Amino acid sequence: MSNNSTDSSNEAVLSSSDGFTTFSFGGRHIRFKAPYSLERYVDVVRWDDGYLVVLAKYRHNAEPEEEYIDLKPILDGLYIDSASFLKPIKSVRIA
């Protein structure tokens, strides 16, 4: 969900490749296992302080499906302070 009033320094990037999802922001690239049949992320529907609603294209479905990603437990599991990491992010775009 891109916001025209937000400059790119407050924008994170979501991508997928080789069975992994990557969330990039501020020089950090957080990689985690993606659902097995994910082909690609299509669009960001909503960004809410670490919680993403995205449209994702899966091999088993011709149409994109809503997918939900909660980054807080992922960041916490990596010993990254989720509150300070997520606070400056104003928007997320698909790579």
Side-chain angles (χ1 to χ4, degrees), residues 9-41:
S9 67
N10 294 95
E11 182 178 67
V13 179
L14 182 71
S15 62
S16 64
S17 178
D18 300 324
F20 288 90
T21 293
T22 304
F23 185 85
S24 303
F25 179 73
R28 287 192 165 172
H29 306 284
I30 313 299
R31 238 175 121 211
F32 50 95
K33 193 76 175 133
Y36 76 94
S37 65
L38 177 70
E39 290 181 353
R40 69 185 182 284
Y41 293 109

Side-chain angles (χ1 to χ4, degrees), residues 23 47 49-50 71-72 75 81-89:
F23 185 85
W47 165 253
D49 189 35
L71 291 169
K72 289 180 183 182
L75 293 168
D81 178 12
S82 60
S84 62
F85 179 79
L86 297 170
K87 185 176 181 169
I89 301 172

Side-chain angles (χ1 to χ4, degrees), residues 73-84:
I74 295 166
L75 293 168
D76 293 343
L78 295 169
Y79 302 101
I80 296 172
D81 178 12
S82 60
S84 62

